[in-house]
Amino acid sequence: MTMEKQLISKSYYHKFIEGIHNVDPIQVLGELYIDEQQNEMPDLSYIRFAQGEVYFLYKDYEAAIFKWENVSNELKPWAQKNIADAHAKMNLLAIAEDYYNAVETDSEVLKTEVLLQLFSLYIQLGKHAKAVESIKHAVDINPDYPDVTDVARVFFEDQQDWENAVELAVNEAMRTESLSWFVVLEEYVEDGHTAKIKPNYFSEVLMTLYNIDLNRFESLATALWNSYKQTDLYFPWLEEINDLLLNIEPGPSCVWSKLSNQFRETYFELMNGTFLVREFSYLIPSHLTNWMKVSTASEAAIASSAVLAWNEMYPSDMEASIISKAESLLSRAARDQNGIEDGFKLFKSIIKWAEGEGLLLDKRFEWIVHELQDLNQYHLMITGTETSGKASFVNMLLDEEVSEEPANGTILYKDADNAKIHAITNEEERSIAEHNDFKEATKDEHTFISCKMPVQFLNENKLTLIDTPQTDGNHYLYLADSLLFVLNADSNLTGNELDMAVQIREQAPELPIHFLLCNMDRNTNSQEVMERTEKIISRIDSYFSNAKAFTYSTYGDRNNQINEFSAFTKSIMGGHSLEEERATKILYYVRKSIKYLLLKREEVENSLIDNIKWNEEIVTKLKGAQNQLSDIEENTVQVIKKSYSKIIEEWKQDLTIKIPELIRQSSEVIKEDSDFKKIHIVLNDEINKRINNYIEETVLPDLYLKLQKWIENSEMELNDSKKYLGEMCESFNQLYGEDKIYFECDSRVLDDWHRDMNRMTRGNIQLTNATFISNATISQFLWRSAGKLVGALSKNNETVHDKYKQYVEGKDYSKTTEILIDEFMQQFKIFGKSLERDIKIFFTDPYDELDAVLAETYDEIEENKDILSDMQQKPEVYRNPFTLFELKLRQYEWMFATRERIYENS
């Protein structure tokens, strides 16, 4: 045992008792101590150190401390460490900490032991940070010390201190190059303990592992890749792993299927529309380069085609050597066996996106793509210059007179157990049940008709027939597997007829074109007919060397011709790789769909601009309508109020004249034998009675009639306004193209007016009894008239009678009259004041309706402006989906080795 191990285990004392048996170590060391003291220059530190160890073992910690405190030689640092151990045993932890920290030594072993003891002590004291510091320091200065890294790992894991645990694993993996530490690190990664650590932290450890074990490198890299997904560090990780892989060459024998899969999944994740292309484009060149480098044989075509597709879109991003490598790899790679499925998935993703954006894809494309997936059916398209012969031939095949002239639309005939006919345009699909509807639908050149019905010939030959009159720019050419061009065999073939077939070949170079020669002559076996037919076939052969021709006679036996044509169709079906061709054709319609939606997107932008402009014009019109409504309301108020006021004012003037007359006429009740002391009471009663009678018998009936007439006139005035507003509504609704605005005027005000008129003119009006004549005023009048003869006058009734009548008939009653009229007219005045409010109530709904529509229009303008602003300021956001679709499309085109062909003809 080395001395350091003895010092660690406190067995240094064995050095002094070696070979001595059955004797107490204390006794032996005591005797050695006494012997040493006898020396001229005794050195007692070694024995004291050993004695301290024995006392420690006997748990006599104070004696041990005493001995160690007196050690002064090179063992003093160890003695200090042991003194700390003794205090720790006595649970004097704070003192022990001070002694540990006071140890000064150059020995890495002693330093490590002290740090381990401090680590243990700090755990007991609950000082986590200091415990971490101690164990990390111990690992730093002496990582090879027995168990120190294992202790640190267990501690960090127990404390769930994953930052330090990961750091330890990384450092030890790189230092020891032991796979066990790489395994530990990978476990941390898989458990998610590294997801917040910047990816560049792992670059060095990955490179270390790459140089040790390629399989383990792939495993750790894959674990890190998965851990960073769905985090903010995903792109930094992709940048880091790609930079790392660019600088290594694993060699042809290395197969990294997991990494290859990660590259593939990540590429398609980036392409799924979650991110803008500009957000990840800087990653793609190195990503695709590395994907090719690590791709398995089964994914070589996908990786290399992705490189070529990206290079087409962004040619400055990829190096020429990478492009060359991709082309070479693709030429040697196996062709995609899922071409139709991949193309259809891309098509479906476009439809789904379009629906989410409120864009409608051409419905015809959807039907065609679905038909292209049916590999059990061979699609034969029939077109050409000879229309009547074509119709006759189609009817013969179908054994029904379904093809009639003229038919401008394209009709697909397919065998089915039950008859189902659908008419499909770019905007809709609808079912057709009636023959007239079918006939009408065929007249529209933009309508695609799917006609499924039981047809024996189609069933037996697994054939789908596509009858189309269109050739120039025909959307349906790529639905066909072969084309049968119909010519008139009764006349010499002209250049113009073949030009049409040549144009079709230019549109779809890969589409096999064959010819149907329609012979309408009864004498089909004549020498002339046969020679003409041979010339036509020879002429065809000079243009279409691989074309086959079938001669059809409208007068021939149907069964024979059906059998012959069955053999003909079988001959033209051979030599096709139908699955590859259909995959290519689906991609053609994918490209057409992308272009179609791009146009739709432009239409959306233009529509927004037009909608904003239209709504701004509508705002102007609505504001004008509000002004008109205000003018109508004001005019109606003035007309109705004026006519009402005129009636009331006329009767006020009448009463102003009539009431004084009634008062004066009441003087007739004064008689010579009247009691002049009470005559004023009689007069007042009579006057009030006459006024009330006049109002009830004359004024109110006349007022009732005139006000009823006034209500009728007012109703006509309001109805005129209502009619004008109705015309205004109609004008706006014509602009909107729908019944958007409707004014509901509140005609209940007329019912209220009728009720108020009845209340005011047909009720029992009882005015307040007024005092017209008072005794005091009469006495004053008589006094002024007769002076001191009043007493005498009082005795002369005739004279008093005359004077009384003179007073009553000559008095001014204007103030009293005015008071009476005001009282009577009060309710009419109140009613008159309410007219403006009532008329405004009548017009309330039109105002509210215009306000609501105006507010809605303003909102729509702002909403459209916001959308338009986004589209114009962030064009990449709206262009991004199309870019991604285009990238996927080009990749698939490269995989199917038909990109140039499709691109040129779309």
Side-chain angles (χ1 to χ4, degrees):
M1 182 182 292
T2 63
M3 183 174 175
E4 284 184 336
K5 289 184 178 180
Q6 288 178 333
L7 293 172
I8 292 169
S9 62
K10 293 183 178 64
S11 59
Y12 175 74
Y13 70 91
H14 285 189
K15 179 180 179 181
F16 298 97
I17 63 172
E18 190 173 355
I20 303 173
H21 304 287
N22 301 321
V23 180
D24 188 348
I26 294 295
Q27 180 182 342
V28 174
L29 291 172
E31 291 174 354
L32 290 173
Y33 185 85
I34 294 171
D35 290 343
E36 184 65 27
Q37 279 182 321
Q38 305 306 315
N39 293 330
E40 184 178 350
M41 295 183 67
D43 186 358
L44 299 171
S45 289
Y46 295 107
I47 297 172
R48 285 172 179 158
F49 188 88
Q51 287 176 321
E53 288 183 331
V54 176
Y55 287 131
F56 185 89
L57 293 174
Y58 287 159
K59 298 185 180 180
D60 187 350
Y61 300 122
E62 290 181 351
I65 291 169
F66 175 75
K67 289 294 182 179
W68 284 327
E69 283 177 341
N70 290 286
V71 173
S72 58
N73 61 5
E74 72 275 8
L75 295 178
K76 183 176 180 179
W78 282 97
Q80 285 181 300
K81 181 260 183 189
N82 290 344
I83 291 170
D85 290 346
H87 282 96
K89 288 292 185 181
M90 293 187 291
N91 206 31
L92 300 173
L93 302 182
I95 298 173
E97 180 184 4
D98 291 339
Y99 274 102
Y100 285 131
N101 287 324
V103 174
E104 294 182 2
T105 180
D106 294 330
S107 169
E108 286 189 354
V109 173
L110 179 53
K111 287 179 181 178
T112 305
E113 278 295 315
V114 168
L115 288 167
L116 288 172
Q117 294 301 325
L118 279 171
F119 168 68
S120 178
L121 182 145
Y122 287 139
I123 290 176
Q124 294 180 66
L125 291 173
K127 296 181 178 180
H128 177 78
K130 288 193 172 184
V132 170
E133 183 182 350
S134 299
I135 194 64
K136 287 181 70 175
H137 192 188
V139 171
D140 287 342
I141 65 172
N142 201 353
D144 289 323
Y145 196 76
D147 298 330
V148 68
T149 53
D150 289 336
V151 169
R153 181 173 68 83
V154 171
F155 172 69
F156 292 146
E157 290 177 355
D158 288 345
Q159 297 297 316
Q160 297 189 3
D161 184 354
W162 301 114
E163 182 179 352
N164 282 313
V166 171
E167 182 183 16
L168 175 67
V170 168
N171 291 338
E172 286 304 293
M174 289 191 293
R175 186 184 69 84
T176 65
E177 296 189 354
S178 169
L179 288 180
S180 62
W181 277 108
F182 288 104
V183 171
V184 170
L185 176 58
E186 188 173 328
E187 289 175 355
Y188 291 161
V189 173
E190 289 174 345
D191 291 338
H193 302 317
T194 62
K196 295 182 180 179
I197 300 174
K198 291 184 178 179
N200 59 2
Y201 180 76
F202 298 103
S203 294
E204 189 176 351
V205 72
L206 281 168
M207 280 304 300
T208 302
L209 183 55
Y210 172 77
N211 292 318
I212 298 170
D213 189 314
L214 293 178
N215 289 332
R216 182 57 64 181
F217 167 83
E218 180 191 29
S219 183
L220 179 58
T222 301
L224 283 165
W225 204 314
N226 288 327
S227 73
Y228 283 119
K229 287 181 179 179
Q230 312 303 324
T231 73
D232 294 338
L233 294 173
Y234 191 37
F235 280 14
W237 159 255
L238 294 177
E239 189 172 7
E240 199 65 36
I241 188 64
N242 278 305
D243 287 347
L244 187 150
L245 291 175
L246 281 176
N247 298 313
I248 64 175
E249 286 295 337
S253 61
C254 178
V255 178
W256 279 340
S257 57
K258 292 180 182 177
L259 275 179
S260 179
N261 185 59
Q262 287 286 3
F263 273 99
R264 178 177 56 80
E265 286 185 358
T266 298
Y267 179 73
F268 286 111
E269 283 171 4
L270 295 174
M271 295 292 152
N272 69 7
T274 303
F275 308 102
L276 296 176
V277 173
R278 62 175 173 80
E279 293 175 335
F280 62 79
S281 58
Y282 70 99
L283 295 168
I284 294 300
S286 59
H287 187 87
L288 294 180
T289 301
N290 287 322
W291 186 13
M292 275 203 309
K293 183 186 295 184
V294 305
S295 64
T296 60
S298 62
E299 292 190 350
I302 305 175
S304 53
S305 62
V307 170
L308 296 172
W310 186 268
N311 180 62
E312 279 193 278
M313 294 285 283
Y314 305 99
S316 62
D317 286 359
M318 309 298 295
E319 296 180 3
S321 59
I322 301 301
I323 302 306
S324 177
K325 182 179 177 181
E327 290 173 343
S328 174
L329 187 61
L330 185 61
S331 67
R332 291 181 278 108
R335 287 288 173 262
D336 182 14
Q337 300 301 311
N338 301 311
I340 290 179
E341 181 182 350
D342 290 340
F344 183 65
K345 283 181 179 178
L346 178 55
F347 184 76
K348 289 292 286 183
S349 67
I350 293 172
I351 293 176
K352 183 178 180 181
W353 174 83
E355 289 174 348
E357 294 293 311
L359 300 173
L360 293 178
L361 188 62
D362 193 321
K363 294 290 185 183
R364 295 170 298 181
F365 293 170
E366 293 185 48
W367 272 81
I368 292 170
V369 169
H370 278 92
E371 285 297 328
L372 286 171
Q373 293 178 83
D374 187 358
L375 295 176
N376 294 319
Q377 289 285 308
Y378 190 87
H379 296 162
L380 180 63
M381 177 174 283
I382 301 181
T383 190
T385 58
E386 173 51 52
T387 56
S388 58
K390 176 167 72 75
S392 173
F393 179 72
V394 170
N395 289 334
M396 180 197 74
L397 296 180
L398 301 178
D399 198 20
E400 284 192 41
E401 294 293 325
V402 295
S403 182
E404 300 181 12
E405 299 293 349
N408 295 323
T410 296
I411 309 171
L412 178 143
Y413 296 105
K414 189 173 185 177
D415 176 69
D417 293 336
N418 299 306
K420 291 181 181 178
I421 303 176
H422 286 86
I424 307 102
T425 64
N426 63 328
E427 294 181 347
E428 65 171 0
E429 60 179 80
R430 57 187 177 87
S431 178
I432 293 179
E434 300 294 332
H435 179 72
N436 286 339
D437 291 341
F438 174 77
K439 186 177 180 181
E440 193 65 29
T442 62
K443 294 180 180 179
D444 185 357
E445 62 179 328
H446 301 296
T447 300
F448 176 75
I449 300 171
S450 171
C451 185
K452 297 180 180 180
M453 57 186 181
V455 180
Q456 184 179 353
F457 171 77
L458 298 181
N459 177 275
E460 291 174 351
N461 291 276
K462 297 186 180 304
L463 193 68
T464 294
L465 205 60
I466 305 162
D467 182 7
T468 179
Q470 304 178 47
T471 53
D472 186 25
N474 195 321
H475 287 307
Y476 314 113
L477 280 177
Y478 283 85
L479 175 57
D481 298 314
S482 287
L483 184 136
L484 196 61
F485 195 88
V486 184
L487 295 171
N488 184 354
D490 293 336
S491 60
N492 292 323
L493 182 62
T494 67
N496 289 337
E497 289 177 298
L498 274 183
D499 283 347
M500 188 181 293
V502 170
Q503 289 174 7
I504 295 174
R505 183 172 60 186
E506 290 173 351
Q507 284 182 253
E510 301 301 320
L511 178 65
I513 299 178
H514 304 287
F515 291 85
L516 176 70
L517 308 182
C518 287
N519 196 324
M520 313 297 285
D521 196 329
R522 288 182 178 273
N523 188 12
T524 58
N525 295 320
S526 69
Q527 185 67 27
E528 180 186 351
V529 170
M530 292 174 66
E531 289 178 357
R532 186 167 58 243
T533 301
E534 287 178 5
K535 286 182 180 179
I536 292 174
I537 293 174
S538 176
R539 184 83 181 275
I540 289 171
D541 190 57
S542 65
Y543 283 86
F544 299 89
S545 57
N546 296 320
K548 296 182 179 181
F550 180 82
T551 303
Y552 161 71
S553 172
T554 55
Y555 298 100
D557 179 75
R558 179 182 182 275
N559 290 333
N560 288 338
Q561 293 195 96
I562 283 287
N563 291 334
E564 290 172 0
F565 189 68
S566 293
F568 178 81
T569 58
K570 287 180 174 60
S571 71
I572 66 175
M573 287 180 185
H576 281 284
S577 176
L578 206 57
E579 188 165 353
E580 268 188 43
E581 292 174 12
R582 293 283 182 86
T584 298
K585 291 178 169 89
I586 287 175
L587 292 186
Y588 168 85
Y589 288 104
V590 167
R591 182 170 291 282
K592 296 292 288 187
S593 298
I594 293 172
K595 287 188 173 183
Y596 180 85
L597 290 174
L598 268 171
L599 290 174
K600 284 292 182 182
R601 173 60 78 188
E602 291 175 7
E603 287 177 11
V604 168
E605 186 171 349
N606 293 333
S607 176
L608 285 170
I609 294 170
D610 292 342
N611 191 267
I612 291 168
K613 182 179 178 182
W614 188 83
N615 274 321
E616 287 174 343
E617 292 174 355
I618 284 292
V619 165
T620 302
K621 294 181 184 296
L622 289 170
K623 286 183 175 180
Q626 284 182 323
N627 293 332
Q628 284 182 290
L629 178 58
S630 179
D631 292 341
I632 292 169
E633 180 189 70
E634 182 62 28
N635 181 69
T636 305
V637 168
Q638 294 303 320
V639 169
I640 291 176
K641 283 184 67 177
K642 185 177 180 180
S643 59
Y644 176 80
S645 297
K646 182 180 180 182
I647 294 170
I648 301 305
E649 187 60 32
E650 286 175 352
W651 270 108
K652 183 177 180 181
Q653 294 300 324
D654 177 86
L655 288 173
T656 301
I657 297 170
K658 193 65 179 176
I659 288 175
E661 289 180 0
L662 291 173
I663 295 172
R664 292 185 182 95
Q665 289 172 1
S666 299
S667 64
E668 63 190 25
V669 300
I670 303 172
K671 306 296 183 182
E672 289 182 7
D673 58 351
S674 297
D675 183 353
F676 290 105
K677 292 180 180 180
K678 296 182 179 180
I679 191 62
H680 63 283
I681 297 172
V682 174
L683 272 172
N684 284 326
D685 289 343
E686 181 63 22
I687 292 169
N688 281 306
K689 181 180 178 183
R690 291 190 180 196
I691 291 173
N692 277 302
N693 286 341
Y694 180 75
I695 288 174
E696 287 186 7
E697 294 172 5
T698 303
V699 176
L700 290 179
D702 189 76
L703 262 178
Y704 175 78
L705 293 174
K706 288 184 176 180
L707 289 176
Q708 288 300 317
K709 184 64 176 176
W710 168 81
I711 290 176
E712 289 179 13
N713 293 336
S714 297
E715 184 173 3
M716 291 173 62
E717 186 71 27
L718 290 173
N719 284 337
D720 287 344
S721 299
K722 187 174 180 180
K723 182 180 178 182
Y724 183 83
L725 293 176
E727 293 172 354
M728 185 187 292
C729 284
E730 186 177 345
S731 176
F732 273 111
N733 290 334
Q734 285 178 353
L735 288 174
Y736 280 109
E738 60 173 314
D739 291 337
K740 187 175 182 65
I741 296 178
Y742 177 72
F743 295 149
E744 184 65 49
C745 296
D746 192 348
S747 298
R748 290 176 298 177
V749 297
L750 293 167
D751 296 333
D752 294 340
W753 290 354
H754 277 295
R755 186 187 64 248
D756 290 341
M757 290 303 104
N758 284 331
R759 175 179 54 78
M760 292 188 296
T761 60
R762 305 191 74 172
N764 186 15
I765 303 300
Q766 188 64 45
L767 298 176
T768 303
N769 284 333
T771 300
F772 301 95
I773 307 296
S774 67
N775 192 37
T777 54
I778 289 178
S779 298
Q780 291 174 3
F781 171 76
L782 293 176
W783 179 264
R784 287 196 299 273
S785 299
K788 295 179 180 180
L789 297 176
V790 70
L793 286 171
S794 60
K795 296 177 182 179
N796 189 337
N797 285 350
E798 183 179 351
T799 302
V800 173
H801 167 265
D802 293 339
K803 290 294 182 182
Y804 225 119
K805 289 191 69 171
Q806 180 184 352
Y807 169 76
V808 171
E809 292 171 359
K811 187 180 180 219
D812 180 11
Y813 299 102
S814 60
K815 288 184 178 181
T816 308
T817 299
E818 185 177 350
I819 293 170
L820 274 175
I821 292 172
D822 285 345
E823 181 183 353
F824 173 67
M825 289 294 176
Q826 182 65 28
Q827 59 184 340
F828 295 99
K829 287 181 180 178
I830 292 172
F831 178 81
K833 288 179 179 179
S834 69
L835 285 176
E836 184 170 353
R837 183 203 63 192
D838 291 345
I839 294 168
K840 286 184 179 297
I841 290 173
F842 179 84
F843 289 103
T844 295
D845 182 73
Y847 273 115
D848 291 345
E849 182 78 2
L850 287 175
D851 286 343
V853 175
L854 194 57
E856 181 184 330
T857 307
Y858 277 128
D859 288 343
E860 187 173 341
I861 289 172
E862 289 306 309
E863 181 181 351
N864 288 337
K865 281 184 175 180
D866 288 342
I867 296 171
L868 183 62
S869 176
D870 282 345
M871 292 179 72
Q872 293 175 341
Q873 292 180 14
K874 302 175 184 177
E876 74 277 8
V877 174
Y878 293 90
R879 175 70 197 185
N880 196 68
F882 296 105
T883 302
L884 296 175
F885 291 143
E886 183 79 10
L887 275 167
K888 291 178 186 176
L889 172 62
R890 294 190 181 191
Q891 181 180 6
Y892 288 146
E893 289 173 348
W894 274 108
M895 288 169 65
F896 304 154
T898 53
R899 187 205 64 78
E900 296 86 351
R901 184 164 66 245
I902 293 174
Y903 191 63
E904 289 169 2
N905 293 291
S906 60

